Amino acid sequence: MADATFRVMLKMQIKPGMEAEFERVWQEVGGSVTDHPANRGQWLSRSTTENEDGIYYIVSDWVDEPQFRAFETSDTHLHHRTKLHPFRSGGSMATMEIVASLAGAAA
């Protein structure tokens, strides 16, 4: 793939009753991620899977892994994390490199 993308996917468990406030704060502080010159976009999704109440997935695409890692250790990211941390009761992170893509008919 000529235009490689490094993707980060966070799974976040949000404390019960704090979901709406988490979504609001995520949108407020999201620019600290998307304003980074190596960021290609970011998406917040709420799980609709049964027994996954309060589970959110955050997907963020980056030009490459080194630039994501530089952002990950920056003061900007630390500030961003500090704003979202009070809502979390757990979570995980997966990183991946997109190796192929197919556009759907609706694209």
Side-chain angles (χ1 to χ4, degrees), residues 2-4 6 21 32 41 59-60 62-63 68 70 80 95 98-99 104 107:
D3 194 19
F6 182 74
E21 183 70 2
S32 65
V59 174
S60 184
W62 296 82
V63 170
F68 165 72
H80 174 80
T95 59
I98 297 174
V99 296

Side-chain angles (χ1 to χ4, degrees), residues 25-72:
V25 172
W26 184 86
Q27 289 187 346
E28 277 182 10
V29 302
S32 65
V33 175
T34 56
D35 288 348
H36 189 283
N39 183 265
R40 292 189 165 153
Q42 178 173 232
W43 300 264
L44 176 66
S45 303
R46 181 179 49 243
S47 178
T48 59
T49 302
E50 191 174 332
N51 299 322
E52 280 200 352
D53 293 337
I55 298 289
Y56 285 81
Y57 294 91
I58 299 170
V59 174
S60 184
D61 286 351
W62 296 82
V63 170
D64 57 33
E65 184 173 4
Q67 291 185 74
F68 165 72
R69 297 296 180 190
F71 170 76
E72 186 181 35

